[in-house]
Structure formats: structure tokens, C-alpha cells
């Protein structure tokens, strides 16, 4: 399951963007998805993210994310509809529960629950996209200027993660060759076998850490003032994407303060499309946000554009 | 709804974690041994979380290790190892809006270990086990806070209670797992970590 989720370099346009531009773009998505309450707006974001995930060749990962999220969506809907009493269209009333009051499900509460569920799916799709297009190495090297020790420690930990997993398998194999059968014995015996595995793994990992420290020392770690070298290119495509996301965000904010994208669920749900401006603003915001998608399509099919951005 | 609490709670978690991590890296300098030891511990915890987290759902041999790290190496180290655990394992299991709050909660687990050390310097494995058991529930309650603020309306105590109740089974599994793992492996882990804690400090003797 992990191989699908973990970032892999596929030579995609979306992966070639500067990490700062990509992060700004994803951040705008995140803010809008948490800001908007209107189901139509959330649906549009979801649609756009679906296209982006497919463009990033992440269909399998995305489907995995959505399948995992569905259970939580149902939970969100059930909790919302049972607890909220603000809705005026009651579709089911149940028996009275002590300390709680009468059970009641209203259409508005169900609607709100479904919208919350949709928002959760938008969030999942967004982070699926993040996992597909942002390389952890690039991200961490971008942050290294701000917090050197934290980032260095996190980079080391990320680098060491697969090593620990590999060591675990190696130690298990060695134990098995020496005659330890991990699938045999009572539960307590098995626990003992595994706990010896754990101890060996912890000790050998920490010994490795000492080795790393010595090799860092040998490479002059902490011997003087540190220099910083950046090698990420800022290309026209990054400017275009950044402008698109900033434009979309400012327009969305302007719209939000003028009431576009807001939505009242209680006591009665609003009309979905109040006026033409509701759709117009949504379309413009989506246009700004779809710039990377459009560029990516063009980048694949049009060598001239490819040479210019 | 006038105030978007989901937005604010997520942003607040994000900012808090950024500030804490940046502040953690800025304050003072670290030796290579401290740095690599903490990084490897974080990797170890993350691996424990990811390898068992998928198969055994919530029985992870990890939270007690973070707690003991805090106990042996101090609150600052405990916080880092705790906060880095979900961050690193989520690079492999999938980052999400839940990451900042997870980092904060895990960081608190580690920091609480350091606090225990200050309050009860000679505490044995028993106290740590009890603390780990409590953290199983407390961690669930903290994460429910985020979940509740983003996905549930209206924000009343009653709805929070219901959200918490929905996750009670998982929380109990986690607490029980912590209890078992800490009781079985705590003593051994503490010994190993204390050994490396002693090894970490190097003194150069002049004129030897």
C-alpha cells in the first residue's frame, strides 16, 4: 500500500514546479476548502482535485484514499444528524433517551452532514495530490534555511525510516535461521520472541546512530558557520501558477466578504444558486486554480509551450 | 456559520507546530551525537507506527517509547521525537490535515515524559506504564478535538462527547496496547536508552 502513496519521481509537469509555488497552490486549496460552506463550491473543488489527481497519475492512490475515508464520512453524517436539533424539516423522530432528550433527525442536519463529508473527501483528495507531487526532499531543503537542526533531524529520520524497516526484516531472518519460529508457541511465547527482536533492533539502530554521528563529525559538522546552497530553479511556470493561485485566493476572499460561498443550513437550507454572480465567481476561482492543470496538459502536447515555460 | 472553526483550528495547529519545530531547531546548538540519536529514535518510532499501524490498527509499540524517550532524555528531546514520529511516518502513510495536531499530541506525550522525570526522578516502570495507559485515551481526546471542530456542528459539549464516544473503542485499544507494550518492554527500553544517554555526553579531559 505504501509504494502507491509515497512520492515517486515520474517526470510530471506538476512535480517539476518549484516547491514554494506548489505549496502556495496547495495551501490556497486547503484554505478555500475549509472556508467554503456552500456545497456547490466544495463540489467544484472536489472535481478540480479529481482531475489534478488523475493528471498526476495517481488514480490508484486516490481511490485508496477515498475508500479509506468513506467510513469516516458515514460517521460524520450519523453524528451530525443525530445531534443537531436546529433543522426545521424533521424527517424522523425516535424514542426519548434518558439524559439526552428525544432523538430527532432533520433533513437539514443530514444535508450538513453530507456537506461535511464532502469537505472531508476534498481534504483527502488534496493531501493525496500533495503526496503525489511534492517531493519530501525538496520540501525539507526549502525549509532548511529557517530551522536547520529540526529539518536536518527530520531528514535524517526520513532517510533512516526504510533502514529501520529493512533491519527489522534482516534481524527476523537471522533469528529464523537460528531456529526461532515466530509463528509457533503460545501467545506469551510469541510475545517473548518478538520482544527480543525489538530489543536487538533498538540497540542496533542506536549503535548506527552513533556511527552516523561520528561520520558527521568527520565531515566537519558543527565546526563553524554553515553555508547554504539552493538549487531549485524558479521558472516562468512557477510565476504563472503562483499568480493563478494568488488571484484565485484574493477573488475568493473578496467573494466571501460579499457573501459568495457562504451558506446557511439552519433552520432551513439556503437556495444552492442564489444569483448568477455565485456561479460567476466560482468559475473565475476555478479558472485561477486550474492554471497548473491547463499548463500540464499543454506541456505534454505542445513542444513550443514546453520550451517557453 | 460566521466563524469557520475548522479553518482556525487546523491553521492554529499548523502554526503552533511550525513555531515549535522552528524554535526547537533554533535554540542553542546541538552536537552530532544528540542530533543523530534523536533522528534515529524518531525513525524507529515512525517505523513502529507505520509497520504495525497498518496491520494491527491501533496496537502500536511506539507511544511508550516516545514517553520513555522524554523520561530519559528530557522534555525537549521527547517533544522532538514525539512530533517527528507522525510527520515521518506520514511521509509514507499519507500526510493530511490531521498531521499538525497529531504532531502536537505526540509531542506532548514526549514532553510529558520529561515532566514525569522532573516530578518523580526515581520513577520505575509502573508509573510510566500508567502514564502510557492514560495517554492512550488522552491522545484520542485531543485528536477528537480537531475532528470535532472541523466536521461537527454545532460545537457543543454534547456533540464533542458523542464524537469522543464514537472513537472510544479505538482509544481503548490504543490504551490497552500501550499498557501491554510498556509493561512488557518498558524496563528493557529504559535500560538501553539510559546507556546511550550516558554515552552521548563526551568530556574532553585537558592535559591527559
Amino acid at each position: 500500500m505504501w509504494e502507491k502513496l509515497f512520492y515517486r519521481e515520474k517526470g510530471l509537469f506538476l512535480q517539476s514546479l518549484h516547491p514554494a509555488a506548489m505549496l502556495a497552490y496547495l495551501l490556497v486549496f486547503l484554505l478555500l476548502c475549509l472556508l467554503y460552506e456552500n456545497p456547490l463550491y466544495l463540489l467544484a473543488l472536489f472535481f478540480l482535485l479529481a482531475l489534478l489527481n488523475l493528471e498526476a497519475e495517481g488514480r490508484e492512490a486516490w481511490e485508496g484514499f477515498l475508500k479509506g475515508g468513506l467510513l469516516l464520512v458515514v460517521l460524520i453524517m450519523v453524528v451530525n444528524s443525530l445531534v443537531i436539533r436546529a433543522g426545521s424539516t424533521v424527517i424522523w423522530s425516535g424514542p426519548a433517551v434518558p439524559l439526552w432528550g428525544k432523538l430527532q433527525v432533520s433533513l437539514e442536519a443530514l444535508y450538513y452532514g453530507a456537506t461535511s463529508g464532502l469537505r472531508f473527501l476534498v481534504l483527502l483528495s488534496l493531501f493525496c495530490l500533495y503526496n503525489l507531487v511534492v517531493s519530501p526532499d525538496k520540501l525539507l531543503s526549502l525549509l532548511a534555511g529557517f530551522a536547520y537542526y529540526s529539518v536536518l533531524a527530520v531528514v535524517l529520520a526520513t532517510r533512516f525510516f526504510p533502514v529501520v524497516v529493512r533491519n527489522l526484516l534482516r534481524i527476523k531472518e537471522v533469528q529464523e535461521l537460528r531456529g526461532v519460529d515466530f509463528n509457533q508457541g503460545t501467545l506469551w511465547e510469541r510475545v517473548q520472541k518478538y520482544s527480543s527482536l525489538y530489543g536487538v533492533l533498538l540497540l542496533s539502530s542506536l549503535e548506527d546512530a552513533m556511527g552516523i554521528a561520528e561520520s558527521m563529525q568527520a565531515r566537519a559538522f558543527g565546526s563553524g558557520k554553515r553555508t547554504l546552497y539552493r538549487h531549485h530553479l524558479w521558472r516562468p511556470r512557477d510565476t504563472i501558477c503562483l499568480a493563478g493561485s494568488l488571484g484565485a485566493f484574493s477573488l475568493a476572499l473578496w467573494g466571501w466578504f460579499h457573501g459568495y460561498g457562504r451558506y446557511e443550513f439552519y433552520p432551513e437550507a439556503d437556495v444552492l444558486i442564489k444569483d448568477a454572480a455565485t456561479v460567476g465567481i466560482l468559475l473565475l476561482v476555478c479558472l485561477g486554480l486550474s492554471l497548473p492543470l491547463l499548463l500540464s496538459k499543454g506541456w505534454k502536447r505542445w513542444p513550443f509551450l514546453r520550451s517557453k515555460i | 456559520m460566521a466563524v469557520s472553526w475548522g479553518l482556525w483550528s487546523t491553521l492554529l495547529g499548523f502554526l503552533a507546530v511550525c513555531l515549535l519545530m522552528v524554535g526547537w531547531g533554533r535554540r542553542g546548538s546541538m552536537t552530532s551525537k544528540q542530533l543523530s540519536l534523536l533522528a534515529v529514535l524518531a525513525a524507529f518510532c515512525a517505523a513502529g507506527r507505520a509497520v504495525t499501524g497498518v496491520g494491527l490498527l491501533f496496537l502500536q509499540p511506539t507511544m511508550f517509547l516516545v514517553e520513555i524517550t522524554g523520561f530519559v532524555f528530557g522534555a525537549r528531546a521527547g517533544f522532538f521525537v514525539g512530533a517527528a514520529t507522525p510527520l515521518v511516518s506520514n511521509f509514507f502513510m499519507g500526510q493530511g490535515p490531521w498531521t499538525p495536531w497529531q504532531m502536537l499530541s505526540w509531542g506532548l506525550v514526549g514532553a510529558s515524559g520529561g515532566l514525569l522525570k522532573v516530578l518523580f526522578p526515581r520513577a520505575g516502570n509502573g508509573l510510566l506504564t500508567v502514564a502510557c495507559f492514560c495517554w492512550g485515551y488522552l491522545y484520542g481526546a485531543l485528536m477528537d478535538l480537531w475532528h470535532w471542530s472541523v466536521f461537527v456542528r454545532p460545537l457543543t459539549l454534547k456533540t464533542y462527547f458523542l464524537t469522543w464516544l464514537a472513537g472510544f473503542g479505538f482509544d481503548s485499544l490504543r490504551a490497552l496496547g500501550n499498557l501491554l507494550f510498556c509493561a512488557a518492554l518498558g524496563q528493557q527500553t529504559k535500560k538501553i536508552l539510559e546507556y546511550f544517554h550516558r554515552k552521548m555526553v563526551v568530556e574532553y579531559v585537558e592535559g591527559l
Side-chain angles (χ1 to χ4, degrees):
Chain A
M1 182 180 109
W2 304 345
E3 295 78 39
K4 272 178 245 154
L5 289 180
F6 190 50
Y7 175 85
R8 272 178 304 169
E9 189 65 52
K10 294 183 226 163
L12 300 172
F13 171 82
L14 291 171
Q15 292 177 328
S16 73
L17 286 168
H18 191 278
M22 199 63 211
L23 277 186
Y25 178 65
L26 294 173
L27 191 68
V28 167
F29 254 113
L30 177 69
L31 291 175
L32 289 187
C33 138
L34 291 169
L35 191 72
Y36 283 149
E37 302 245 299
N38 191 329
L40 188 69
Y41 280 54
L42 287 174
L43 211 58
L45 290 183
F46 183 68
F47 183 65
L48 207 55
L49 280 169
L51 288 180
L52 280 161
N53 272 311
L54 293 184
E55 185 67 27
E57 295 175 8
R59 177 194 278 269
E60 264 180 283
W62 184 54
E63 278 171 0
F65 257 76
L66 291 191
K67 268 182 210 152
L70 275 181
L71 181 73
L72 215 58
V73 170
V74 173
L75 198 75
I76 290 169
M77 282 184 72
V78 169
V79 168
N80 268 305
S81 51
L82 275 180
V83 171
I84 298 172
R85 299 249 178 73
S88 66
T89 321
V90 178
I91 53 172
W92 181 79
S93 343
V97 176
L99 294 174
W100 191 268
K102 207 165 177 235
L103 284 178
Q104 212 176 54
V105 175
S106 69
L107 201 58
E108 283 83 7
L110 212 58
Y111 186 27
Y112 183 81
T115 310
S116 279
L118 177 62
R119 169 176 304 155
F120 183 64
L121 292 184
V122 174
L123 279 176
L124 281 182
S125 313
L126 179 62
F127 278 91
C128 179
L129 182 67
Y130 166 86
N131 289 316
L132 287 170
V133 299
V134 179
S135 142
D137 293 339
K138 276 192 192 172
L139 173 73
L140 290 170
S141 78
L142 182 74
L143 296 174
F146 304 110
Y148 173 57
Y149 284 118
S150 327
V151 170
L152 183 61
V154 171
V155 170
L156 269 178
T158 314
R159 163 73 187 84
F160 219 71
F161 179 96
V163 178
V164 172
V165 176
R166 213 163 38 230
N167 274 348
L168 174 69
L169 298 177
R170 184 175 55 85
I171 293 168
K172 199 175 167 197
E173 213 166 67
V174 170
Q175 301 262 37
E176 276 169 349
L177 280 176
R178 286 179 180 164
V180 181
D181 191 349
F182 286 95
N183 298 319
Q184 245 184 7
T186 60
L187 187 67
W188 180 240
E189 278 169 8
R190 269 192 247 177
V191 166
Q192 277 179 324
K193 285 173 195 166
Y194 272 105
S195 69
S196 76
L197 200 67
Y198 165 88
V200 173
L201 183 62
L202 184 63
L203 238 136
S204 71
S205 299
L206 292 178
E207 281 296 345
D208 284 355
M210 289 292 154
I212 295 175
E214 274 154 23
S215 106
M216 280 161 73
Q217 199 83 39
R219 286 166 175 75
F221 173 85
S223 61
K225 200 169 158 23
R226 208 173 55 86
T227 51
L228 187 68
Y229 167 64
R230 288 184 193 283
H231 58 277
H232 301 308
L233 278 181
W234 185 272
R235 285 173 285 210
R237 61 184 80 166
D238 301 310
T239 314
I240 297 173
C241 292
L242 189 66
S245 25
L246 288 183
F249 186 58
S250 7
L251 184 70
L253 269 191
W254 180 85
W256 171 256
F257 284 113
H258 288 78
Y260 300 110
R262 291 182 193 233
Y263 199 75
E264 285 299 329
F265 287 88
Y266 308 112
E268 265 181 39
D270 276 349
V271 189
L272 199 58
I273 303 173
K274 271 180 258 182
D275 43 22
T278 311
V279 183
I281 292 213
L282 177 62
L283 281 181
L284 284 176
V285 168
C286 284
L287 185 70
L289 286 179
S290 58
L291 275 181
L293 186 65
L294 296 175
L295 283 182
S296 172
K297 295 271 186 209
W299 189 74
K300 271 196 253 176
R301 292 197 185 111
W302 198 14
F304 177 69
L305 183 72
R306 196 173 177 146
S307 69
K308 287 293 165 194
I309 57 173
Chain B
M1 241 140 277
V3 188
S4 183
W5 285 106
L7 176 71
W8 293 119
S9 72
T10 307
L11 281 186
L12 201 73
F14 190 70
L15 272 181
V17 113
C18 281
L19 278 179
L20 281 169
M21 287 304 262
V22 169
W24 186 88
R26 289 230 155 180
R27 222 179 120 243
S29 66
M30 293 176 79
T31 66
S32 55
K33 277 191 179 168
Q34 284 168 326
L35 197 75
S36 68
L37 207 72
L38 292 184
V40 166
L41 269 174
F44 190 86
C45 292
R49 182 167 184 262
V51 169
T52 57
V54 178
L56 291 167
L57 207 60
F58 284 90
L59 290 173
Q60 302 160 343
T62 302
M63 206 173 261
F64 83 95
L65 185 55
V66 172
E67 175 92 22
I68 295 177
T69 305
F71 187 79
V72 173
F73 291 98
R76 198 169 159 232
F79 172 81
F80 173 78
V81 172
T85 298
L87 180 68
V88 172
S89 59
N90 283 358
F91 277 133
F92 299 85
M93 292 160 73
Q95 299 283 6
W98 45 81
T99 307
W101 275 73
Q102 280 181 345
M103 287 173 71
L104 283 179
S105 310
W106 277 91
L108 277 178
V109 175
S112 79
L115 187 71
L116 271 185
K117 177 80 171 178
V118 174
L119 294 177
F120 310 98
R122 309 191 132 268
N125 199 33
L127 186 73
L128 284 172
T129 308
V130 173
C132 285
F133 180 74
C134 296
W135 264 112
Y137 284 105
L138 211 56
Y139 175 80
L142 278 173
M143 283 312 292
D144 282 343
L145 210 59
W146 175 78
H147 177 90
W148 169 69
S149 70
V150 177
F151 296 114
V152 182
R153 293 289 177 281
L155 297 173
T156 60
L157 267 182
K158 213 182 222 180
T159 52
Y160 175 72
F161 179 70
L162 215 74
T163 315
W164 178 78
L165 205 65
F168 184 75
F170 294 131
D171 291 349
S172 306
L173 253 178
R174 187 188 299 113
L176 208 67
N178 283 349
L179 183 83
L180 289 178
F181 281 119
C182 195
L185 303 172
Q187 200 65 43
Q188 182 189 358
T189 309
K190 208 169 131 214
K191 240 187 217 165
I192 295 175
L193 289 189
E194 269 164 358
Y195 167 69
F196 279 96
H197 187 51
R198 280 198 301 276
K199 229 177 152 177
M200 210 161 78
V201 187
V202 181
E203 277 179 51
Y204 295 99
V205 182
E206 291 285 329
L208 197 69

